[in-house]
């Protein structure tokens, strides 16, 4: 699909998220490391788990709001608040003794406002696509996300240790430009807004999600995605902290690769592979059976992250990170497109918010792995990640293709009966 053929909202979303992610990716992957160094690992783990729980609960409210009110207005308000909280985080870094309490409070504020706005953006994207162009658009979006994150990871690797303040100033500036761009270019064509059915707002919110919770296949896909994403998210939580503590520095001339820089290299490698191979792999998977492509991708992805969890030599980390990324490139566009096709048109905000449980849940598991990793040796952590990925693979596969499996079984029975 050519750029000029894309719907206007898709272009706005892709451009704004590109610049926002490029800067935020320079600092957000280091949050676990930041809090662990400023305080301690147990406190960092507990604090980040709490923010994930808050984010998920607020995300559900955001889904309800995005189905009940104009989505553009929701995005504008939450985007301005995001910029405000980044400004507070930046200010808290300037005193000689950083104001960690203020930074932590502003970080919680950012988690709340970004979680409120996210379902509205996801719903606008689904509103602006069709089942026919969805896989191609998700592949392009996935490519741009990773290109921006590769730029961010490179910035973080070079500047995080000695230029934290400058990075947060850049983040504040870019996040201020985003609501301006939304105000000028974003179109909100959604008219089929959800009507309030109960006087009590909380009862109305809960009843709105009952439909999604009763959709067994969708619940399976969301739960499975939670387990699958947890492996990738552990790279910037447990694995990042482990590398910072135990990775033996490697010298290339006068340049020393320590644990923090090794984490940046793995993130950059992951994203550059996505940038270089997304469209090649996408063309390849277009010729494959969707079920076979999905299961192959998930298995390769699992093998990669299970090894990266405990590997401690640079070449093993680089090789198996490559394997994990190839698996991700195979399964991700298929999972995204098939999941979007499952969502009813009048509940896109709510279903999108519920589907975000997979990110919040994965973040929760990844943050919990910081605490678990304080008691288990790295090889046991690999076993733990392997079990999680296996469970995720089974749930996603049966959730996405349960109906077609049942239909095929019935057809086979009918044929054998004849």
């Amino acid at each position: 699909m050519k750029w000029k053929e894309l719907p206007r909202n898709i272009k706005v979303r892709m451009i704004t998220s590109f610049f926002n992610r490029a800067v935020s990716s320079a600092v957000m992957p280091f949050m676990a490391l930041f809090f662990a160094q400023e305080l301690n690992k147990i406190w960092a783990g507990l604090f980040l788990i709490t923010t994930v729980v808050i984010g998920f609960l607020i995300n559900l409210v955001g889904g309800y709001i995005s189905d009940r009110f104009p989505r553009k207005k929701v995005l504008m308000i939450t985007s301005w608040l995001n910029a405000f909280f980044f400004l507070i985080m930046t200010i808290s870094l300037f005193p000689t003794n950083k104001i960690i309490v203020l930074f932590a409070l502003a970080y919680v504020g950012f988690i709340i406002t970004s979680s409120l706005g996210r379902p509205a953006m996801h719903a606008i994207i689904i509103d602006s696509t069709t089942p026919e162009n969805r896989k191609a658009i998700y592949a392009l979006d996935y490519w741009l996300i990773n290109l921006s994150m590769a730029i961010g990871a490179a910035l973080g690797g070079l500047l995080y240790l000695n230029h934290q303040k400058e990075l947060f100033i850049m983040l504040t500036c870019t996040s201020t430009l985003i609501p301006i761009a939304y105000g000028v270019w974003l179109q909100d064509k959604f008219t089929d807004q959800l009507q309030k059915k109960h006087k009590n707002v909380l009862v109305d919110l809960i009843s709105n999600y009952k439909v999604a919770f009763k959709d067994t296949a969708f619940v399976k896909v969301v739960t499975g995605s939670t387990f699958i994403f947890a492996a990738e998210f552990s790279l910037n939580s447990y694995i990042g902290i482990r590398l910072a503590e135990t990775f033996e520095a490697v010298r290339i001339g006068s340049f020393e690769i320590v644990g923090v820089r090794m984490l940046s290299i793995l993130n950059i490698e992951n994203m550059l592979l996505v940038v270089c191979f997304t469209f090649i792999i996408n063309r390849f998977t277009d010729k494959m059976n969707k079920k076979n492509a999905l299961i192959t991708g998930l298995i390769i992805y699992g093998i990669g992250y299970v090894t990266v969890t405990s590997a401690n030599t640079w070449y093993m980390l680089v090789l198996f990170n490559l394997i994990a990324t190839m698996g991700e490139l195979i399964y991700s566009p298929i999972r995204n497109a098939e999941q979007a096709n499952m969502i009813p048109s009048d509940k896109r905000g709510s279903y999108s918010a519920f589907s975000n449980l997979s990110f919040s849940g994965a973040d929760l598991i990844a943050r919990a792995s910081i605490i678990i990793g304080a008691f288990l040796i790295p090889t046991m952590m690999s076993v733990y990640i392997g079990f999680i990925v296996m469970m995720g693979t089974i749930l996603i596969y049966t959730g996405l293709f349960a109906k077609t499996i049942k239909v095929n079984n019935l057809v086979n029975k009918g044929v054998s009966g004849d």
Side-chain angles (χ1 to χ4, degrees):
M1 179 173 276
K2 293 177 182 176
W3 178 258
K4 63 182 179 182
E5 295 171 359
L6 292 174
R8 182 168 164 179
N9 282 351
I10 300 294
K11 290 178 183 175
V12 174
R13 193 266 185 184
M14 287 181 175
I15 292 167
T16 53
S17 70
F18 178 86
F19 287 104
N20 189 45
R21 276 199 180 90
V23 183
S24 63
S25 298
V27 291
M28 288 304 158
F30 296 101
M31 283 299 97
L33 189 61
F34 176 84
F35 287 116
Q37 287 175 338
E38 295 294 334
L39 298 153
N40 61 65
K41 281 194 284 184
I42 303 295
W43 192 96
L46 290 171
F47 172 73
L48 292 169
I49 286 169
T50 305
T51 62
V52 172
V53 173
I54 291 168
F56 169 63
L57 294 174
I58 298 297
N59 187 64
L60 292 177
V61 177
Y64 172 75
I65 289 170
S66 72
D67 279 341
R68 288 268 289 110
F69 303 101
R71 287 169 182 164
K72 182 175 177 178
K73 192 177 285 185
V74 173
L75 274 174
M76 292 285 291
I77 293 167
T78 55
S79 298
W80 279 117
L81 287 169
N82 281 349
F84 170 73
F85 286 119
F86 281 132
L87 177 63
I88 299 298
M89 279 189 253
T90 305
I91 291 167
S92 70
L93 294 175
F94 273 84
T96 309
N97 295 321
K98 295 168 188 169
I99 312 170
I100 298 302
V101 173
L102 183 62
F103 185 95
L105 288 171
Y107 182 75
V108 171
F110 159 72
I111 294 293
I112 290 169
T113 53
S114 62
S115 299
L116 271 176
R118 197 174 297 117
M121 179 48 83
H122 285 178
I124 285 174
I125 298 310
I126 299 172
D127 288 341
S128 306
T129 58
T130 63
E132 291 73 34
N133 66 14
R134 209 160 269 155
K135 184 172 181 280
I137 286 174
Y138 274 118
L140 176 59
D141 187 41
Y142 181 68
W143 180 79
L144 280 169
I145 285 169
N146 280 276
L147 176 60
S148 62
M149 288 173 75
I151 293 166
L155 278 172
L158 293 169
L159 305 176
Y160 175 79
L161 289 174
N162 303 312
H163 300 279
Q164 280 181 11
K165 293 170 192 172
E166 288 84 349
L167 282 174
F168 273 93
I169 290 168
M170 286 169 62
L171 188 51
T172 304
C173 293
T174 53
S175 59
T176 303
L177 294 172
I178 285 168
I180 297 170
Y182 287 159
V184 175
W185 291 295
L186 197 69
Q187 297 171 323
D188 191 357
K189 296 176 181 177
F190 181 65
T191 53
D192 187 22
Q193 282 165 357
L194 196 69
Q195 297 304 308
K196 191 176 177 183
K197 294 176 182 176
H198 302 87
K199 286 184 180 179
N200 187 311
V201 176
L202 185 62
V203 173
D204 201 47
L205 187 148
I206 292 166
S207 67
N208 188 45
Y209 282 101
K210 276 185 181 175
V211 178
F213 277 107
K214 285 179 181 176
D215 190 337
T216 311
F218 195 78
V219 170
K220 275 187 177 180
V221 174
V222 171
T223 309
S225 300
T226 301
F227 292 141
I228 291 298
F229 296 155
E232 183 182 353
F233 287 13
S234 68
L235 183 64
N236 288 319
S237 53
Y238 166 74
I239 296 169
I241 292 170
R242 179 181 67 77
L243 289 173
E245 290 177 346
T246 66
F247 183 75
E248 290 184 19
V250 178
R251 281 193 170 276
I252 300 172
S254 60
F255 186 72
E256 187 179 37
I257 301 172
V258 292
V260 174
R261 285 197 172 127
M262 190 67 226
L263 175 63
S264 290
I265 288 167
L266 293 178
N267 276 312
I268 293 164
E269 179 198 14
N270 182 301
M271 293 154 200
L272 288 177
L273 287 168
V274 171
V275 170
C276 295
F277 294 104
T278 292
F279 301 114
I280 296 167
I281 300 277
N282 202 45
R283 281 197 209 101
F284 176 69
T285 55
D286 280 342
K287 297 171 187 174
M288 288 178 71
N289 176 285
K290 279 189 290 190
K291 295 179 197 174
N292 294 342
L294 183 84
I295 203 83
T296 302
L298 287 169
I299 290 168
I300 294 169
Y301 171 90
I303 290 167
Y305 276 111
V306 163
T307 310
V308 169
T309 300
S310 57
N312 215 31
T313 51
W314 70 267
Y315 52 88
M316 286 290 283
L317 287 162
V318 169
L319 173 63
F320 281 91
N321 192 47
L322 181 149
I323 290 167
T325 306
M326 287 297 137
E328 185 183 347
L329 284 173
I330 295 167
Y331 92 78
S332 188
I334 298 167
R335 189 206 68 87
N336 286 338
E338 291 299 313
Q339 180 178 283
N341 291 340
M342 297 171 84
I343 299 175
S345 61
D346 63 331
K347 290 194 183 297
R348 281 174 177 158
S350 301
Y351 262 70
S352 294
F354 178 62
S355 71
N356 279 336
L357 169 62
S358 56
F359 298 105
S360 303
D363 219 357
L364 193 63
I365 294 169
R367 303 306 190 191
S369 71
I370 298 171
I371 298 169
I372 296 167
F375 302 99
L376 294 181
I377 59 170
T379 47
M380 287 306 296
M381 288 299 290
S382 279
V383 173
Y384 164 72
I385 293 293
F387 177 74
I388 285 170
V389 172
M390 184 179 70
M391 289 297 296
T393 301
I394 293 165
L395 286 167
I396 288 178
Y397 185 81
T398 54
L400 288 178
F401 302 114
K403 288 178 183 175
T404 54
I405 291 164
K406 281 181 184 176
V407 169
N408 290 339
N409 287 340
L410 288 170
V411 169
N412 292 334
K413 282 179 184 177
V415 171
S416 61
D418 291 341

